[in-house]
Amino acid sequence: MKRRVFFILMSMMAFGAAAQSIPKPTAELSKFTIKEITLRDVTFQFELTVSNPYPLALSFSGMTLDFSVEGSKVFSAANKGGFSVPAKGKKSNTFDVRLAYEDIYKLVQNYSTKEWLNTVIDGSLTIPLPKVPGVPATISFNYKLEKKIPAIKPEVAITDFTVTPPSAAEVSAALKKAEKKVDPEKARGAIANVLAGKKPAAPVIDPADLDLPLRIKFTIKIRNDARFPINFNSLGYELFINDESLVLGDSSAINQKGQDILITVTNTFSSKRLSTQVKRLFAEKKGNFRVIGKASLKLPDDISKQPIPLGFDERGSFSF
């Protein structure tokens, strides 16, 4: 009996030693960055690298990530970045998670007084393991990450909107090109009336029948109701009026005034774009706008050594 007990104990010890010597998978977050910032959200990018020592592939659904900002839990994301790792192989997967600013400023007290927001991300990953004697059913990994993000609570407006009528020479050239036999001065007057919101006395010509350069000038005003100074050197933009694209281009005429950044835009558009919806803007002296912007933010090196893309797609109404 004593020999049998001794044999069982020795077998258990040997089995335990063998189980401890079985290699285990490793999982590391090999990349953690801010991929992009918009006026409405922040996108974090993660890269998860897993090494599989077993002769069988490992598959898992992904990570669970809990986001806390300034001590308040804001958002949870489950099953992010899942993939399969081949037998005795190593594989990486990159995935993105977006955190909305609106979710943050609903919870963070005194949001408008903050310039930076301390963000803590608690991540967990559970990988099911092959059914091998001495190997547990799963293996888990936990991560704690921290990153500061700028505090943004935006208001976007279009101000100082003007369109300059074409010159007499431009009207004459456009009429000749379009082979329209219309008096240039009358045509110019009719176009000026449309841009002034007036109904022409006589329908001399529809401005959309000509290819005339119309000079436009306006200001994109971005106000941040938090303390982070939104600052960039150049903005790529596209302006829509009443849901129709009017102009697109780039502007480096940028002026910072406190929490406001003012981007002055000067451009031209063809009179062919004077559709019914765009004409309504001039007739009513008000309209709806949509402005798409692309720029680049340089944050402190401890947050990102590379410039981070800044984008926005904002809508609103304006009058002039």
Side-chain angles (χ1 to χ4, degrees):
M1 183 66 180
K2 290 183 178 180
R3 286 184 180 181
R4 186 179 178 185
V5 172
F6 176 77
F7 177 77
I8 292 173
L9 289 174
M10 291 301 293
S11 298
M12 291 177 64
M13 291 174 65
F15 183 77
Q20 289 180 2
S21 67
I22 295 175
K24 294 181 175 61
T26 61
E28 65 171 327
L29 279 173
S30 45
K31 182 179 180 182
F32 168 54
T33 59
I34 296 175
K35 179 182 179 181
E36 181 185 28
I37 295 175
T38 77
L39 297 181
R40 300 295 171 181
D41 50 54
V42 180
T43 299
F44 295 94
Q45 186 167 86
F46 304 83
E47 183 180 70
L48 181 64
T49 301
V50 176
S51 295
N52 177 14
Y54 303 130
L56 297 172
L58 293 178
S59 297
F60 48 92
S61 57
M63 299 183 66
T64 295
L65 300 165
D66 294 329
F67 291 77
S68 297
V69 180
E70 295 294 313
S72 297
K73 184 176 178 180
V74 174
F75 174 71
S76 291
N79 300 332
K80 295 293 181 180
F83 58 105
S84 179
V85 185
K88 292 187 176 296
K90 184 177 183 178
K91 189 174 180 181
S92 298
N93 185 31
T94 301
F95 61 97
D96 300 339
V97 180
R98 185 179 64 87
L99 182 62
Y101 273 117
E102 185 177 8
D103 294 337
I104 299 173
Y105 53 70
K106 285 180 178 178
L107 294 175
V108 174
Q109 292 185 347
N110 302 318
Y111 183 94
S112 61
T113 66
K114 298 183 182 298
E115 181 176 351
W116 296 97
L117 302 167
N118 188 47
T119 304
V120 177
I121 303 167
D122 291 303
S124 63
L125 172 69
T126 298
I127 302 177
L129 301 182
K131 293 181 179 180
V132 176
V135 174
T138 62
I139 186 170
S140 297
F141 302 89
N142 295 307
Y143 309 91
K144 191 177 186 69
L145 307 167
E146 292 191 41
K147 187 77 75 174
K148 286 185 178 179
I149 60 174
I152 298 176
K153 189 177 181 182
E155 293 179 12
V156 177
I158 298 295
T159 64
D160 305 323
F161 184 93
T162 59
V163 176
T164 303
S167 66
E170 289 170 333
V171 173
S172 295
L175 288 169
K176 184 176 180 181
K177 183 178 178 180
E179 299 180 346
K180 299 285 187 181
K181 294 182 179 180
V182 178
D183 181 85
E185 276 303 318
K186 289 183 178 179
R188 183 175 181 273
I191 294 167
N193 282 338
V194 169
L195 297 178
K198 300 176 183 177
K199 189 174 181 179
V204 178
I205 194 169
D206 186 342
D209 291 339
L210 301 177
D211 187 10
L212 278 165
L214 302 178
R215 284 165 286 278
I216 185 173
K217 185 175 182 180
F218 61 93
T219 297
I220 303 171
K221 178 182 177 182
I222 304 173
R223 175 171 180 79
N224 185 14
D225 287 333
R227 301 310 301 166
F228 175 74
I230 301 173
N231 195 7
F232 44 82
N233 296 322
S234 179
L235 178 73
Y237 63 86
E238 182 171 9
L239 176 69
F240 295 78
I241 295 295
N242 292 336
D243 297 321
E244 296 192 19
S245 178
L246 194 63
V247 289
L248 72 160
D250 296 277
S251 177
S252 55
I254 298 171
N255 186 24
Q256 186 92 31
K257 287 188 176 181
Q259 295 307 106
D260 295 346
I261 185 165
L262 307 173
I263 305 102
T264 301
V265 171
T266 54
N267 206 329
T268 61
F269 67 94
S270 172
S271 57
K272 288 183 175 294
R273 291 183 177 263
L274 288 173
S275 64
T276 301
Q277 292 287 21
V278 175
K279 287 177 185 175
R280 188 162 58 86
L281 170 75
F282 298 101
E284 298 176 1
K285 300 297 186 191
K286 62 181 180 179
N288 298 318
F289 74 84
R290 176 189 177 194
V291 61
I292 298 173
K294 293 183 179 179
S296 182
L297 283 178
K298 182 61 186 84
L299 303 182
D301 285 349
D302 61 335
I303 299 173
S304 176
K305 295 185 183 300
Q306 301 298 324
I308 295 175
L310 171 70
F312 58 87
D313 187 344
E314 298 290 316
R315 297 173 182 266
S317 59
F318 74 109
S319 58
F320 66 100

